[in-house]
Coordinates of all heavy atoms in Angstrom, one line a residue:
Chain B
T453 N 125.6 9.5 102.1 CA 124.8 8.9 101.1 C 124.4 9.9 100.0 O 124.0 11.0 100.4 CB 123.5 8.3 101.7 OG1 123.9 7.5 102.8 CG2 122.8 7.4 100.7
V454 N 124.5 9.5 98.8 CA 124.1 10.4 97.7 C 123.0 9.7 96.9 O 123.2 8.5 96.5 CB 125.2 11.0 96.9 CG1 126.0 9.8 96.3 CG2 124.7 11.9 95.8
V455 N 121.9 10.4 96.6 CA 120.8 9.8 95.9 C 120.6 10.6 94.6 O 120.5 11.8 94.6 CB 119.5 9.8 96.7 CG1 118.4 9.2 95.8 CG2 119.7 9.1 98.0
F456 N 120.7 9.9 93.4 CA 120.5 10.5 92.2 C 119.1 10.3 91.6 O 118.6 9.2 91.7 CB 121.5 10.0 91.1 CG 122.9 10.5 91.4 CD1 123.8 9.7 92.0 CD2 123.3 11.7 90.9 CE1 125.1 10.2 92.2 CE2 124.6 12.2 91.0 CZ 125.5 11.4 91.7
D457 N 118.6 11.3 91.0 CA 117.4 11.1 90.2 C 118.0 10.6 88.8 O 119.1 10.8 88.5 CB 116.7 12.5 90.0 CG 115.4 12.4 89.2 OD1 114.8 11.3 89.2 OD2 115.1 13.3 88.5
T461 N 119.3 13.9 85.2 CA 120.4 14.1 86.1 C 121.6 13.2 85.7 O 122.7 13.6 85.4 CB 120.0 13.7 87.6 OG1 118.8 14.5 87.9 CG2 121.1 14.0 88.5
L462 N 121.3 11.8 85.7 CA 122.4 10.9 85.3 C 122.4 10.8 83.7 O 123.4 10.5 83.1 CB 122.2 9.5 85.9 CG 122.5 9.5 87.4 CD1 122.1 8.1 87.9 CD2 123.9 9.8 87.7
W591 N 131.3 7.5 100.0 CA 129.8 7.7 100.0 C 129.1 6.5 99.4 O 129.6 5.9 98.5 CB 129.5 8.9 99.2 CG 129.8 10.2 99.9 CD1 130.4 10.4 101.1 CD2 129.4 11.5 99.5 NE1 130.4 11.7 101.5 CE2 129.9 12.4 100.5 CE3 128.8 12.0 98.3 CZ2 129.7 13.8 100.3 CZ3 128.6 13.4 98.2 CH2 129.1 14.3 99.2
D592 N 127.9 6.3 99.9 CA 126.9 5.3 99.3 C 126.2 6.0 98.1 O 125.7 7.1 98.3 CB 125.8 5.0 100.3 CG 126.1 3.6 101.0 OD1 126.9 2.8 100.4 OD2 125.5 3.4 102.1
V593 N 126.2 5.3 97.0 CA 125.5 5.9 95.8 C 124.3 5.2 95.5 O 124.3 4.0 95.3 CB 126.4 5.9 94.6 CG1 125.7 6.6 93.4 CG2 127.7 6.7 94.9
R594 N 123.1 5.9 95.5 CA 121.9 5.2 95.2 C 121.1 6.0 94.1 O 121.4 7.2 93.8 CB 121.0 5.2 96.4 CG 121.7 4.4 97.5 CD 120.9 4.6 98.8 NE 121.7 4.3 99.9 CZ 121.4 3.4 100.9 NH1 120.3 2.8 100.9 NH2 122.3 3.2 101.9
M595 N 120.1 5.3 93.5 CA 119.3 6.0 92.5 C 117.8 5.7 92.7 O 117.4 4.6 93.0 CB 119.7 5.4 91.1 CG 119.0 6.1 89.9 SD 119.8 5.8 88.4 CE 119.5 4.0 88.3
L596 N 117.0 6.8 92.6 CA 115.6 6.7 92.6 C 115.0 7.3 91.4 O 115.3 8.4 91.0 CB 115.0 7.4 93.9 CG 115.3 6.9 95.2 CD1 114.8 7.8 96.3 CD2 114.7 5.5 95.4
S597 N 114.1 6.5 90.7 CA 113.6 7.1 89.5 C 112.1 6.8 89.3 O 111.7 5.7 89.8 CB 114.4 6.5 88.3 OG 113.7 6.9 87.1
S615 N 122.3 0.0 94.5 CA 121.0 0.3 95.2 C 120.2 1.3 94.4 O 120.5 2.4 94.2 CB 121.3 0.9 96.6 OG 120.2 1.5 97.1
K625 N 109.8 8.8 96.9 CA 111.2 9.2 97.0 C 111.3 9.9 98.4 O 112.3 9.6 99.1 CB 111.5 10.2 95.9 CG 111.6 9.6 94.6 CD 112.1 10.7 93.5 CE 112.0 10.1 92.1 NZ 112.3 11.2 91.1
A628 N 111.5 7.2 101.0 CA 112.8 6.5 101.0 C 113.9 7.3 101.7 O 114.6 6.7 102.5 CB 113.2 6.2 99.6
I629 N 113.9 8.6 101.4 CA 114.9 9.4 102.1 C 114.7 9.4 103.6 O 115.7 9.3 104.4 CB 114.9 10.8 101.5 CG1 115.4 10.7 100.0 CG2 115.9 11.7 102.2 CD1 115.5 12.1 99.4
W632 N 116.1 6.2 105.2 CA 117.5 6.2 105.3 C 118.0 7.1 106.4 O 118.9 6.9 107.1 CB 118.2 6.6 104.0 CG 118.0 5.6 102.9 CD1 118.0 4.2 103.1 CD2 117.8 5.8 101.5 NE1 117.8 3.6 101.9 CE2 117.6 4.5 100.9 CE3 117.7 6.9 100.7 CZ2 117.4 4.4 99.5 CZ3 117.5 6.8 99.4 CH2 117.3 5.5 98.8
V639 N 121.7 12.4 104.0 CA 121.5 12.2 102.5 C 121.7 13.4 101.7 O 121.2 14.5 102.1 CB 120.1 11.6 102.3 CG1 119.8 11.4 100.8 CG2 119.9 10.3 103.1
L640 N 122.4 13.3 100.6 CA 122.5 14.4 99.6 C 121.7 13.9 98.4 O 121.8 12.8 97.9 CB 124.0 14.6 99.2 CG 124.2 15.3 97.9 CD1 123.8 16.8 98.0 CD2 125.6 15.2 97.5
M641 N 120.7 14.8 98.0 CA 119.9 14.4 96.9 C 120.2 15.3 95.7 O 120.4 16.5 95.8 CB 118.4 14.7 97.3 CG 117.4 14.5 96.1 SD 117.0 12.8 95.9 CE 116.3 12.8 94.2
V642 N 120.4 14.6 94.5 CA 120.7 15.3 93.3 C 119.6 15.1 92.3 O 119.3 14.0 91.9 CB 122.1 14.8 92.7 CG1 122.4 15.6 91.5 CG2 123.2 14.8 93.7
G643 N 119.0 16.2 91.9 CA 117.8 16.1 91.0 C 117.8 17.3 90.0 O 118.7 18.1 90.0
V651 N 110.9 16.5 97.7 CA 112.0 15.5 97.9 C 113.3 16.2 98.3 O 114.0 15.9 99.2 CB 112.2 14.7 96.6 CG1 113.2 13.6 96.9 CG2 110.9 14.1 96.2
L652 N 113.6 17.3 97.6 CA 114.8 18.0 97.8 C 114.8 18.6 99.2 O 115.9 18.6 99.9 CB 115.0 19.2 96.8 CG 115.4 18.7 95.4 CD1 115.5 19.9 94.5 CD2 116.7 17.9 95.4
A655 N 115.8 16.0 101.9 CA 117.2 15.6 102.0 C 118.0 16.6 102.9 O 117.6 17.7 103.1 CB 117.8 15.5 100.7
V657 N 121.0 17.7 102.3 CA 121.6 18.7 101.3 C 121.0 18.4 100.0 O 120.9 17.2 99.6 CB 123.1 18.6 101.2 CG1 123.6 19.7 100.3 CG2 123.7 18.8 102.6
V659 N 120.9 19.2 95.7 CA 121.7 19.8 94.6 C 120.8 19.7 93.3 O 120.3 18.7 93.0 CB 123.0 19.1 94.3 CG1 123.7 19.6 93.1 CG2 123.9 19.2 95.5

Side-chain angles (χ1 to χ4, degrees):
Chain B
T453 306
V454 56
V455 179
F456 285 97
D457 185 28
T461 305
L462 291 174
W591 282 6
D592 260 340
V593 180
R594 302 172 199 231
M595 183 166 63
L596 288 176
S597 171
S615 161
K625 288 186 191 175
I629 295 186
W632 292 323
V639 178
L640 162 68
M641 173 82 195
V642 184
V651 184
L652 288 180
V657 181
V659 174

